[in-house]
Amino acid sequence: MWRNNMRWEGIVRLTRKKLENNLAIVKLDEEYIPAASALKYYPLAVVRAEGARVWDADGNEYIDFLTSAAVYNVGHRHPEVVNAIKEQVEELLNYTPSYFYEEQPVRLAKYLTELTPGPYRKKVTFGFSGSDSVDTALKAARAYTRRRHVISFHGSYHGMTYGALSATGIVSPEVKDLIFPIKDIHFVEYPDPYRNSWGINGYENPSELSNTALAQIERRVKELNGEVGAVIAEPIQGDAGVIVPPKEFMKGLRELTRDHNILYIDEEVQSGMGRTGRWWALEHFDVEPDILVTAKALGGGMPISAVVGRAEVMDSVPPPLFVFTHLGHAVNARAAIATIEVIKKEKLAERASELGEYVMRRFRELSGEIPIIDDVRGKGLMIGVDIVKNAKTKEPDRKTALKVCWRAWERGLILITFGKHGNVLRIAPPLNISKEDLDRGLDIIAESMKDVLRGEVSDDVLGYLRGW
């Protein structure tokens, strides 16, 4: 009921791209895969990838500014990650650690306790996605505190498993209510410096924004009679459109949770593994969490997630409540170890910081000649470019943003939108992208914006874009 099958043959009148093989895969997808599995953009069927480049089923080549939703921080098919996978496959695919022991997940767990913020003793458990690890973090927080209530934020994205979806604030309550989400999760406003319900300019008045946001959380904690077990927060809200809160808010939130004996869950699924210019985005705020969740880029392309928490918190959960048959899968864990070593050896966090400053400077310069560009924000190579109808009113322009993505695809760049209003361009290339490819991608975006403003992209393309 949620998918309106399109007459895909009509798309060929809107673009000159060669699409025959792509469209054959699109049609099969529509026949066999439910619409709820995706938020599709243009008809791009990926068949090969290398570094920062991707090729589709018709041989069209692209520079990748999405990296499979911030998964390939070390680039597609990094040789050291691929070699680690091959070596592990030759020895052992996996044997369930539910009953016995395995070397690779133990090595990875030790590595993660050393990499994550906080000098305290930690323990680690594994999953396959950010979603299931958010569920695990919520289990641990409730078990340790013996309190059922959790505070999350409007605009947050924590995943699509039951607990993670229940804690996600960017999906409308009407949609979530269809599947009866778990109760006792309460939403408060995230301190967005650019757009917030309080009308505060958070760039000019970060203290006022922080204090206002913290006061609402304090009120909610009191309303719940001190029965809040955890606050879960992205240090930089990703799918809300790269919302970077004031530093003093994050510090104040950590103090508030300590004052009320509430666990702080740091959700680093998108922002971790060097993407923001630090190993973990929370390091920008000089804050240490009780629990840290990581996934996406952790496995270098293999599906693995991890929850790193204070040892006493993780040990509060009784067996078998963390058990998965393929917990810490040997091949995925070996790939994650190789990924961590590549990020260290190639200094990719430092590179992300340097390139990110360059990218944001270029967009801000471009905003002088292209009026649809307003707020440009982010850390490292986790960047959002806010596309508006009017800079004075900050009115979001989702349609124009989508048309820019369409033209960028036509020109050879993978670019999508996201954000609370679906109007933010998502800039997340591999951290080791070459300067040449980075510049070419930025040039394509600028050219695409100019094409859209000249009226060279038909509104008809919007019928084929199903994104955020």
Side-chain angles (χ1 to χ4, degrees), residues 51-53 62-67 72-75 275 346 348 351-352 355 359 381 413 427-442:
R53 299 275 178 143
Y62 305 88
I63 297 169
D64 191 0
F65 267 28
L66 177 61
T67 52
Y72 294 98
N73 287 11
V74 299
R275 175 144 298 275
E346 297 184 8
L348 293 186
R351 180 171 174 78
L355 292 182
V359 169
L381 284 172
L413 178 71
I427 312 298
L431 309 187
N432 54 3
I433 188 172
S434 70
K435 185 67 162 36
E436 180 183 8
D437 277 354
L438 184 67
D439 278 328
R440 179 59 190 144
L442 295 174

PDB file of all heavy atoms in Angstrom, residues 51-53 62-67 72-75 275 346 348 351-352 355 359 381 413 427-442:
ATOM      1  N   GLY A  51      37.661   2.780  -3.756  1.00  0.00           N
ATOM      2  CA  GLY A  51      38.076   4.067  -3.210  1.00  0.00           C
ATOM      3  C   GLY A  51      36.896   5.002  -3.040  1.00  0.00           C
ATOM      4  O   GLY A  51      35.955   4.716  -2.300  1.00  0.00           O
ATOM      5  N   ALA A  52      36.923   6.115  -3.759  1.00  0.00           N
ATOM      6  CA  ALA A  52      35.821   7.082  -3.716  1.00  0.00           C
ATOM      7  C   ALA A  52      34.983   7.048  -4.981  1.00  0.00           C
ATOM      8  O   ALA A  52      34.219   7.970  -5.250  1.00  0.00           O
ATOM      9  CB  ALA A  52      36.371   8.491  -3.495  1.00  0.00           C
ATOM     10  N   ARG A  53      35.125   5.977  -5.776  1.00  0.00           N
ATOM     11  CA  ARG A  53      34.417   5.857  -7.054  1.00  0.00           C
ATOM     12  C   ARG A  53      33.445   4.684  -7.048  1.00  0.00           C
ATOM     13  O   ARG A  53      33.706   3.641  -6.434  1.00  0.00           O
ATOM     14  CB  ARG A  53      35.418   5.667  -8.183  1.00  0.00           C
ATOM     15  CG  ARG A  53      36.406   6.830  -8.362  1.00  0.00           C
ATOM     16  CD  ARG A  53      35.812   7.892  -9.219  1.00  0.00           C
ATOM     17  NE  ARG A  53      36.699   9.040  -9.374  1.00  0.00           N
ATOM     18  CZ  ARG A  53      36.823   9.738 -10.477  1.00  0.00           C
ATOM     19  NH1 ARG A  53      36.130   9.405 -11.551  1.00  0.00           N
ATOM     20  NH2 ARG A  53      37.608  10.799 -10.531  1.00  0.00           N
ATOM     21  N   TYR A  62      30.784   7.340 -10.968  1.00  0.00           N
ATOM     22  CA  TYR A  62      30.418   8.411 -10.040  1.00  0.00           C
ATOM     23  C   TYR A  62      31.498   8.629  -8.986  1.00  0.00           C
ATOM     24  O   TYR A  62      32.165   7.684  -8.557  1.00  0.00           O
ATOM     25  CB  TYR A  62      29.121   8.053  -9.287  1.00  0.00           C
ATOM     26  CG  TYR A  62      27.956   7.730 -10.179  1.00  0.00           C
ATOM     27  CD1 TYR A  62      27.757   6.430 -10.630  1.00  0.00           C
ATOM     28  CD2 TYR A  62      27.061   8.715 -10.572  1.00  0.00           C
ATOM     29  CE1 TYR A  62      26.691   6.117 -11.456  1.00  0.00           C
ATOM     30  CE2 TYR A  62      25.987   8.419 -11.403  1.00  0.00           C
ATOM     31  CZ  TYR A  62      25.811   7.117 -11.837  1.00  0.00           C
ATOM     32  OH  TYR A  62      24.758   6.816 -12.662  1.00  0.00           O
ATOM     33  N   ILE A  63      31.619   9.868  -8.555  1.00  0.00           N
ATOM     34  CA  ILE A  63      32.323  10.185  -7.314  1.00  0.00           C
ATOM     35  C   ILE A  63      31.307  10.036  -6.196  1.00  0.00           C
ATOM     36  O   ILE A  63      30.147  10.437  -6.341  1.00  0.00           O
ATOM     37  CB  ILE A  63      32.889  11.618  -7.352  1.00  0.00           C
ATOM     38  CG1 ILE A  63      33.924  11.739  -8.473  1.00  0.00           C
ATOM     39  CG2 ILE A  63      33.499  12.012  -6.003  1.00  0.00           C
ATOM     40  CD1 ILE A  63      34.337  13.178  -8.768  1.00  0.00           C
ATOM     41  N   ASP A  64      31.718   9.451  -5.085  1.00  0.00           N
ATOM     42  CA  ASP A  64      30.779   9.105  -4.020  1.00  0.00           C
ATOM     43  C   ASP A  64      30.859  10.088  -2.854  1.00  0.00           C
ATOM     44  O   ASP A  64      31.830  10.095  -2.106  1.00  0.00           O
ATOM     45  CB  ASP A  64      31.079   7.687  -3.526  1.00  0.00           C
ATOM     46  CG  ASP A  64      29.995   7.138  -2.621  1.00  0.00           C
ATOM     47  OD1 ASP A  64      29.016   7.858  -2.371  1.00  0.00           O
ATOM     48  OD2 ASP A  64      30.127   5.979  -2.187  1.00  0.00           O
ATOM     49  N   PHE A  65      29.821  10.909  -2.688  1.00  0.00           N
ATOM     50  CA  PHE A  65      29.731  11.835  -1.557  1.00  0.00           C
ATOM     51  C   PHE A  65      28.765  11.317  -0.483  1.00  0.00           C
ATOM     52  O   PHE A  65      28.406  12.045   0.425  1.00  0.00           O
ATOM     53  CB  PHE A  65      29.258  13.216  -2.031  1.00  0.00           C
ATOM     54  CG  PHE A  65      30.393  14.159  -2.348  1.00  0.00           C
ATOM     55  CD1 PHE A  65      31.634  13.698  -2.761  1.00  0.00           C
ATOM     56  CD2 PHE A  65      30.214  15.532  -2.244  1.00  0.00           C
ATOM     57  CE1 PHE A  65      32.673  14.573  -3.062  1.00  0.00           C
ATOM     58  CE2 PHE A  65      31.244  16.425  -2.531  1.00  0.00           C
ATOM     59  CZ  PHE A  65      32.478  15.937  -2.934  1.00  0.00           C
ATOM     60  N   LEU A  66      28.366  10.042  -0.590  1.00  0.00           N
ATOM     61  CA  LEU A  66      27.483   9.440   0.404  1.00  0.00           C
ATOM     62  C   LEU A  66      28.168   8.307   1.148  1.00  0.00           C
ATOM     63  O   LEU A  66      27.891   8.079   2.321  1.00  0.00           O
ATOM     64  CB  LEU A  66      26.206   8.918  -0.263  1.00  0.00           C
ATOM     65  CG  LEU A  66      25.209   8.185   0.633  1.00  0.00           C
ATOM     66  CD1 LEU A  66      24.703   9.106   1.747  1.00  0.00           C
ATOM     67  CD2 LEU A  66      24.048   7.632  -0.184  1.00  0.00           C
ATOM     68  N   THR A  67      29.052   7.580   0.451  1.00  0.00           N
ATOM     69  CA  THR A  67      29.785   6.436   1.001  1.00  0.00           C
ATOM     70  C   THR A  67      28.862   5.455   1.710  1.00  0.00           C
ATOM     71  O   THR A  67      29.130   5.038   2.843  1.00  0.00           O
ATOM     72  CB  THR A  67      30.927   6.868   1.949  1.00  0.00           C
ATOM     73  OG1 THR A  67      30.407   7.761   2.942  1.00  0.00           O
ATOM     74  CG2 THR A  67      32.029   7.572   1.225  1.00  0.00           C
ATOM     75  N   TYR A  72      31.797   3.827   4.407  1.00  0.00           N
ATOM     76  CA  TYR A  72      33.150   3.586   3.902  1.00  0.00           C
ATOM     77  C   TYR A  72      34.087   4.750   4.227  1.00  0.00           C
ATOM     78  O   TYR A  72      34.599   5.431   3.335  1.00  0.00           O
ATOM     79  CB  TYR A  72      33.098   3.308   2.396  1.00  0.00           C
ATOM     80  CG  TYR A  72      32.385   2.021   2.092  1.00  0.00           C
ATOM     81  CD1 TYR A  72      31.050   2.007   1.716  1.00  0.00           C
ATOM     82  CD2 TYR A  72      33.038   0.802   2.250  1.00  0.00           C
ATOM     83  CE1 TYR A  72      30.383   0.818   1.472  1.00  0.00           C
ATOM     84  CE2 TYR A  72      32.379  -0.397   2.011  1.00  0.00           C
ATOM     85  CZ  TYR A  72      31.063  -0.381   1.618  1.00  0.00           C
ATOM     86  OH  TYR A  72      30.410  -1.563   1.385  1.00  0.00           O
ATOM     87  N   ASN A  73      34.347   4.957   5.511  1.00  0.00           N
ATOM     88  CA  ASN A  73      35.272   6.022   5.913  1.00  0.00           C
ATOM     89  C   ASN A  73      36.666   5.794   5.343  1.00  0.00           C
ATOM     90  O   ASN A  73      37.388   6.749   5.064  1.00  0.00           O
ATOM     91  CB  ASN A  73      35.347   6.119   7.439  1.00  0.00           C
ATOM     92  CG  ASN A  73      34.100   6.739   8.044  1.00  0.00           C
ATOM     93  OD1 ASN A  73      33.098   6.923   7.362  1.00  0.00           O
ATOM     94  ND2 ASN A  73      34.158   7.054   9.322  1.00  0.00           N
ATOM     95  N   VAL A  74      37.059   4.522   5.157  1.00  0.00           N
ATOM     96  CA  VAL A  74      38.376   4.211   4.593  1.00  0.00           C
ATOM     97  C   VAL A  74      38.296   3.987   3.087  1.00  0.00           C
ATOM     98  O   VAL A  74      39.270   3.545   2.466  1.00  0.00           O
ATOM     99  CB  VAL A  74      38.997   2.970   5.277  1.00  0.00           C
ATOM    100  CG1 VAL A  74      39.185   3.231   6.767  1.00  0.00           C
ATOM    101  CG2 VAL A  74      38.168   1.713   5.048  1.00  0.00           C
ATOM    102  N   GLY A  75      37.157   4.300   2.487  1.00  0.00           N
ATOM    103  CA  GLY A  75      36.964   4.109   1.060  1.00  0.00           C
ATOM    104  C   GLY A  75      36.450   2.711   0.750  1.00  0.00           C
ATOM    105  O   GLY A  75      36.535   1.787   1.565  1.00  0.00           O
ATOM    106  N   ARG A 275      35.101  10.247  11.405  1.00  0.00           N
ATOM    107  CA  ARG A 275      34.381  11.067  10.421  1.00  0.00           C
ATOM    108  C   ARG A 275      34.376  12.547  10.757  1.00  0.00           C
ATOM    109  O   ARG A 275      34.448  13.384   9.861  1.00  0.00           O
ATOM    110  CB  ARG A 275      32.935  10.564  10.243  1.00  0.00           C
ATOM    111  CG  ARG A 275      32.125  11.484   9.308  1.00  0.00           C
ATOM    112  CD  ARG A 275      31.172  10.749   8.454  1.00  0.00           C
ATOM    113  NE  ARG A 275      31.775   9.804   7.555  1.00  0.00           N
ATOM    114  CZ  ARG A 275      32.255  10.107   6.344  1.00  0.00           C
ATOM    115  NH1 ARG A 275      32.250  11.367   5.902  1.00  0.00           N
ATOM    116  NH2 ARG A 275      32.762   9.176   5.566  1.00  0.00           N
ATOM    117  N   GLU A 346      46.825   5.908   8.371  1.00  0.00           N
ATOM    118  CA  GLU A 346      46.683   6.951   7.348  1.00  0.00           C
ATOM    119  C   GLU A 346      46.242   8.295   7.927  1.00  0.00           C
ATOM    120  O   GLU A 346      46.010   9.238   7.172  1.00  0.00           O
ATOM    121  CB  GLU A 346      45.695   6.480   6.272  1.00  0.00           C
ATOM    122  CG  GLU A 346      46.175   5.239   5.533  1.00  0.00           C
ATOM    123  CD  GLU A 346      45.252   4.822   4.388  1.00  0.00           C
ATOM    124  OE1 GLU A 346      44.309   5.585   4.062  1.00  0.00           O
ATOM    125  OE2 GLU A 346      45.481   3.733   3.826  1.00  0.00           O
ATOM    126  N   LEU A 348      43.435   9.345   9.180  1.00  0.00           N
ATOM    127  CA  LEU A 348      42.231   9.766   8.466  1.00  0.00           C
ATOM    128  C   LEU A 348      41.356  10.717   9.276  1.00  0.00           C
ATOM    129  O   LEU A 348      40.634  11.535   8.696  1.00  0.00           O
ATOM    130  CB  LEU A 348      41.434   8.547   8.011  1.00  0.00           C
ATOM    131  CG  LEU A 348      42.119   7.682   6.947  1.00  0.00           C
ATOM    132  CD1 LEU A 348      41.183   6.594   6.458  1.00  0.00           C
ATOM    133  CD2 LEU A 348      42.604   8.527   5.767  1.00  0.00           C
ATOM    134  N   ARG A 351      42.874  13.979   8.563  1.00  0.00           N
ATOM    135  CA  ARG A 351      42.561  14.365   7.180  1.00  0.00           C
ATOM    136  C   ARG A 351      41.119  14.850   7.060  1.00  0.00           C
ATOM    137  O   ARG A 351      40.832  15.828   6.358  1.00  0.00           O
ATOM    138  CB  ARG A 351      42.797  13.181   6.255  1.00  0.00           C
ATOM    139  CG  ARG A 351      42.508  13.479   4.784  1.00  0.00           C
ATOM    140  CD  ARG A 351      42.952  12.343   3.879  1.00  0.00           C
ATOM    141  NE  ARG A 351      42.531  12.581   2.507  1.00  0.00           N
ATOM    142  CZ  ARG A 351      43.112  13.387   1.660  1.00  0.00           C
ATOM    143  NH1 ARG A 351      44.173  14.086   2.059  1.00  0.00           N
ATOM    144  NH2 ARG A 351      42.667  13.543   0.421  1.00  0.00           N
ATOM    145  N   ALA A 352      40.206  14.177   7.771  1.00  0.00           N
ATOM    146  CA  ALA A 352      38.805  14.598   7.749  1.00  0.00           C
ATOM    147  C   ALA A 352      38.665  16.020   8.287  1.00  0.00           C
ATOM    148  O   ALA A 352      37.889  16.821   7.755  1.00  0.00           O
ATOM    149  CB  ALA A 352      37.958  13.635   8.575  1.00  0.00           C
ATOM    150  N   LEU A 355      40.123  18.459   5.510  1.00  0.00           N
ATOM    151  CA  LEU A 355      39.274  18.549   4.319  1.00  0.00           C
ATOM    152  C   LEU A 355      37.913  19.142   4.647  1.00  0.00           C
ATOM    153  O   LEU A 355      37.324  19.863   3.836  1.00  0.00           O
ATOM    154  CB  LEU A 355      39.106  17.176   3.677  1.00  0.00           C
ATOM    155  CG  LEU A 355      40.351  16.554   3.046  1.00  0.00           C
ATOM    156  CD1 LEU A 355      40.002  15.208   2.417  1.00  0.00           C
ATOM    157  CD2 LEU A 355      40.976  17.478   2.002  1.00  0.00           C
ATOM    158  N   VAL A 359      36.008  22.132   2.724  1.00  0.00           N
ATOM    159  CA  VAL A 359      34.704  21.989   2.075  1.00  0.00           C
ATOM    160  C   VAL A 359      33.732  23.054   2.573  1.00  0.00           C
ATOM    161  O   VAL A 359      33.031  23.708   1.777  1.00  0.00           O
ATOM    162  CB  VAL A 359      34.125  20.582   2.329  1.00  0.00           C
ATOM    163  CG1 VAL A 359      32.664  20.506   1.883  1.00  0.00           C
ATOM    164  CG2 VAL A 359      34.953  19.530   1.604  1.00  0.00           C
ATOM    165  N   LEU A 381      34.312  15.616   7.934  1.00  0.00           N
ATOM    166  CA  LEU A 381      33.592  15.343   6.687  1.00  0.00           C
ATOM    167  C   LEU A 381      32.182  14.813   6.953  1.00  0.00           C
ATOM    168  O   LEU A 381      31.653  13.971   6.229  1.00  0.00           O
ATOM    169  CB  LEU A 381      34.388  14.376   5.816  1.00  0.00           C
ATOM    170  CG  LEU A 381      35.581  15.026   5.111  1.00  0.00           C
ATOM    171  CD1 LEU A 381      36.461  13.991   4.422  1.00  0.00           C
ATOM    172  CD2 LEU A 381      35.139  16.097   4.115  1.00  0.00           C
ATOM    173  N   LEU A 413      27.901  12.410  -9.778  1.00  0.00           N
ATOM    174  CA  LEU A 413      28.167  12.517  -8.346  1.00  0.00           C
ATOM    175  C   LEU A 413      27.019  11.890  -7.560  1.00  0.00           C
ATOM    176  O   LEU A 413      25.848  12.180  -7.821  1.00  0.00           O
ATOM    177  CB  LEU A 413      28.307  13.987  -7.932  1.00  0.00           C
ATOM    178  CG  LEU A 413      28.531  14.250  -6.438  1.00  0.00           C
ATOM    179  CD1 LEU A 413      29.935  13.815  -6.013  1.00  0.00           C
ATOM    180  CD2 LEU A 413      28.299  15.717  -6.099  1.00  0.00           C
ATOM    181  N   ILE A 427      26.913  15.813   2.800  1.00  0.00           N
ATOM    182  CA  ILE A 427      28.284  15.741   2.287  1.00  0.00           C
ATOM    183  C   ILE A 427      29.073  14.801   3.190  1.00  0.00           C
ATOM    184  O   ILE A 427      29.447  15.153   4.305  1.00  0.00           O
ATOM    185  CB  ILE A 427      28.946  17.140   2.255  1.00  0.00           C
ATOM    186  CG1 ILE A 427      28.014  18.186   1.611  1.00  0.00           C
ATOM    187  CG2 ILE A 427      30.298  17.065   1.541  1.00  0.00           C
ATOM    188  CD1 ILE A 427      27.653  17.924   0.173  1.00  0.00           C
ATOM    189  N   ALA A 428      29.331  13.578   2.707  1.00  0.00           N
ATOM    190  CA  ALA A 428      30.011  12.571   3.527  1.00  0.00           C
ATOM    191  C   ALA A 428      30.873  11.663   2.651  1.00  0.00           C
ATOM    192  O   ALA A 428      30.639  10.448   2.571  1.00  0.00           O
ATOM    193  CB  ALA A 428      28.993  11.749   4.313  1.00  0.00           C
ATOM    194  N   PRO A 429      31.891  12.208   1.988  1.00  0.00           N
ATOM    195  CA  PRO A 429      32.752  11.366   1.158  1.00  0.00           C
ATOM    196  C   PRO A 429      33.676  10.506   2.017  1.00  0.00           C
ATOM    197  O   PRO A 429      33.772  10.721   3.241  1.00  0.00           O
ATOM    198  CB  PRO A 429      33.565  12.392   0.358  1.00  0.00           C
ATOM    199  CG  PRO A 429      33.653  13.582   1.267  1.00  0.00           C
ATOM    200  CD  PRO A 429      32.324  13.615   1.990  1.00  0.00           C
ATOM    201  N   PRO A 430      34.362   9.527   1.437  1.00  0.00           N
ATOM    202  CA  PRO A 430      35.369   8.790   2.199  1.00  0.00           C
ATOM    203  C   PRO A 430      36.412   9.750   2.764  1.00  0.00           C
ATOM    204  O   PRO A 430      36.726  10.782   2.153  1.00  0.00           O
ATOM    205  CB  PRO A 430      35.990   7.859   1.152  1.00  0.00           C
ATOM    206  CG  PRO A 430      34.952   7.725   0.081  1.00  0.00           C
ATOM    207  CD  PRO A 430      34.259   9.045   0.032  1.00  0.00           C
ATOM    208  N   LEU A 431      36.959   9.408   3.914  1.00  0.00           N
ATOM    209  CA  LEU A 431      37.932  10.296   4.553  1.00  0.00           C
ATOM    210  C   LEU A 431      39.246  10.344   3.784  1.00  0.00           C
ATOM    211  O   LEU A 431      40.028  11.289   3.949  1.00  0.00           O
ATOM    212  CB  LEU A 431      38.187   9.842   5.995  1.00  0.00           C
ATOM    213  CG  LEU A 431      36.950   9.602   6.877  1.00  0.00           C
ATOM    214  CD1 LEU A 431      37.371   9.316   8.314  1.00  0.00           C
ATOM    215  CD2 LEU A 431      35.980  10.771   6.809  1.00  0.00           C
ATOM    216  N   ASN A 432      39.491   9.345   2.947  1.00  0.00           N
ATOM    217  CA  ASN A 432      40.719   9.330   2.150  1.00  0.00           C
ATOM    218  C   ASN A 432      40.462   9.679   0.686  1.00  0.00           C
ATOM    219  O   ASN A 432      41.267   9.336  -0.184  1.00  0.00           O
ATOM    220  CB  ASN A 432      41.413   7.977   2.256  1.00  0.00           C
ATOM    221  CG  ASN A 432      40.501   6.812   1.911  1.00  0.00           C
ATOM    222  OD1 ASN A 432      39.349   6.993   1.528  1.00  0.00           O
ATOM    223  ND2 ASN A 432      41.015   5.592   2.036  1.00  0.00           N
ATOM    224  N   ILE A 433      39.367  10.371   0.411  1.00  0.00           N
ATOM    225  CA  ILE A 433      39.100  10.826  -0.957  1.00  0.00           C
ATOM    226  C   ILE A 433      40.239  11.728  -1.427  1.00  0.00           C
ATOM    227  O   ILE A 433      40.794  12.509  -0.645  1.00  0.00           O
ATOM    228  CB  ILE A 433      37.747  11.575  -1.031  1.00  0.00           C
ATOM    229  CG1 ILE A 433      37.371  11.874  -2.492  1.00  0.00           C
ATOM    230  CG2 ILE A 433      37.750  12.835  -0.185  1.00  0.00           C
ATOM    231  CD1 ILE A 433      35.954  12.440  -2.646  1.00  0.00           C
ATOM    232  N   SER A 434      40.601  11.614  -2.687  1.00  0.00           N
ATOM    233  CA  SER A 434      41.662  12.478  -3.211  1.00  0.00           C
ATOM    234  C   SER A 434      41.168  13.914  -3.316  1.00  0.00           C
ATOM    235  O   SER A 434      39.964  14.161  -3.463  1.00  0.00           O
ATOM    236  CB  SER A 434      42.113  11.991  -4.592  1.00  0.00           C
ATOM    237  OG  SER A 434      41.087  12.227  -5.556  1.00  0.00           O
ATOM    238  N   LYS A 435      42.097  14.849  -3.219  1.00  0.00           N
ATOM    239  CA  LYS A 435      41.720  16.255  -3.337  1.00  0.00           C
ATOM    240  C   LYS A 435      41.105  16.516  -4.706  1.00  0.00           C
ATOM    241  O   LYS A 435      40.171  17.325  -4.840  1.00  0.00           O
ATOM    242  CB  LYS A 435      42.954  17.131  -3.122  1.00  0.00           C
ATOM    243  CG  LYS A 435      42.703  18.635  -3.102  1.00  0.00           C
ATOM    244  CD  LYS A 435      41.893  19.047  -1.910  1.00  0.00           C
ATOM    245  CE  LYS A 435      41.998  20.545  -1.639  1.00  0.00           C
ATOM    246  NZ  LYS A 435      42.073  21.408  -2.798  1.00  0.00           N
ATOM    247  N   GLU A 436      41.591  15.827  -5.727  1.00  0.00           N
ATOM    248  CA  GLU A 436      41.067  15.999  -7.081  1.00  0.00           C
ATOM    249  C   GLU A 436      39.598  15.590  -7.153  1.00  0.00           C
ATOM    250  O   GLU A 436      38.762  16.318  -7.701  1.00  0.00           O
ATOM    251  CB  GLU A 436      41.894  15.163  -8.067  1.00  0.00           C
ATOM    252  CG  GLU A 436      41.422  15.268  -9.508  1.00  0.00           C
ATOM    253  CD  GLU A 436      42.207  14.379 -10.442  1.00  0.00           C
ATOM    254  OE1 GLU A 436      43.022  13.567  -9.956  1.00  0.00           O
ATOM    255  OE2 GLU A 436      42.007  14.483 -11.671  1.00  0.00           O
ATOM    256  N   ASP A 437      39.275  14.419  -6.592  1.00  0.00           N
ATOM    257  CA  ASP A 437      37.886  13.967  -6.606  1.00  0.00           C
ATOM    258  C   ASP A 437      37.002  14.847  -5.739  1.00  0.00           C
ATOM    259  O   ASP A 437      35.844  15.119  -6.077  1.00  0.00           O
ATOM    260  CB  ASP A 437      37.795  12.517  -6.118  1.00  0.00           C
ATOM    261  CG  ASP A 437      38.081  11.511  -7.225  1.00  0.00           C
ATOM    262  OD1 ASP A 437      38.241  11.932  -8.391  1.00  0.00           O
ATOM    263  OD2 ASP A 437      38.130  10.306  -6.931  1.00  0.00           O
ATOM    264  N   LEU A 438      37.537  15.300  -4.609  1.00  0.00           N
ATOM    265  CA  LEU A 438      36.770  16.184  -3.738  1.00  0.00           C
ATOM    266  C   LEU A 438      36.414  17.472  -4.461  1.00  0.00           C
ATOM    267  O   LEU A 438      35.249  17.914  -4.454  1.00  0.00           O
ATOM    268  CB  LEU A 438      37.563  16.487  -2.470  1.00  0.00           C
ATOM    269  CG  LEU A 438      36.841  17.338  -1.422  1.00  0.00           C
ATOM    270  CD1 LEU A 438      35.656  16.592  -0.828  1.00  0.00           C
ATOM    271  CD2 LEU A 438      37.815  17.748  -0.313  1.00  0.00           C
ATOM    272  N   ASP A 439      37.395  18.073  -5.109  1.00  0.00           N
ATOM    273  CA  ASP A 439      37.141  19.322  -5.835  1.00  0.00           C
ATOM    274  C   ASP A 439      36.176  19.114  -6.991  1.00  0.00           C
ATOM    275  O   ASP A 439      35.297  19.956  -7.229  1.00  0.00           O
ATOM    276  CB  ASP A 439      38.460  19.909  -6.355  1.00  0.00           C
ATOM    277  CG  ASP A 439      39.205  20.704  -5.298  1.00  0.00           C
ATOM    278  OD1 ASP A 439      38.547  21.324  -4.437  1.00  0.00           O
ATOM    279  OD2 ASP A 439      40.440  20.711  -5.327  1.00  0.00           O
ATOM    280  N   ARG A 440      36.333  17.995  -7.688  1.00  0.00           N
ATOM    281  CA  ARG A 440      35.422  17.734  -8.803  1.00  0.00           C
ATOM    282  C   ARG A 440      33.998  17.572  -8.290  1.00  0.00           C
ATOM    283  O   ARG A 440      33.042  18.097  -8.883  1.00  0.00           O
ATOM    284  CB  ARG A 440      35.863  16.478  -9.570  1.00  0.00           C
ATOM    285  CG  ARG A 440      34.929  16.126 -10.735  1.00  0.00           C
ATOM    286  CD  ARG A 440      34.829  17.256 -11.754  1.00  0.00           C
ATOM    287  NE  ARG A 440      33.782  17.010 -12.726  1.00  0.00           N
ATOM    288  CZ  ARG A 440      33.010  17.948 -13.261  1.00  0.00           C
ATOM    289  NH1 ARG A 440      33.150  19.228 -12.896  1.00  0.00           N
ATOM    290  NH2 ARG A 440      32.088  17.643 -14.145  1.00  0.00           N
ATOM    291  N   GLY A 441      33.829  16.876  -7.166  1.00  0.00           N
ATOM    292  CA  GLY A 441      32.499  16.724  -6.594  1.00  0.00           C
ATOM    293  C   GLY A 441      31.893  18.055  -6.195  1.00  0.00           C
ATOM    294  O   GLY A 441      30.703  18.312  -6.438  1.00  0.00           O
ATOM    295  N   LEU A 442      32.674  18.918  -5.587  1.00  0.00           N
ATOM    296  CA  LEU A 442      32.185  20.240  -5.190  1.00  0.00           C
ATOM    297  C   LEU A 442      31.825  21.075  -6.416  1.00  0.00           C
ATOM    298  O   LEU A 442      30.831  21.816  -6.413  1.00  0.00           O
ATOM    299  CB  LEU A 442      33.234  20.950  -4.339  1.00  0.00           C
ATOM    300  CG  LEU A 442      33.544  20.297  -2.988  1.00  0.00           C
ATOM    301  CD1 LEU A 442      34.703  21.013  -2.299  1.00  0.00           C
ATOM    302  CD2 LEU A 442      32.317  20.275  -2.082  1.00  0.00           C
TER     303      LEU A 442
END
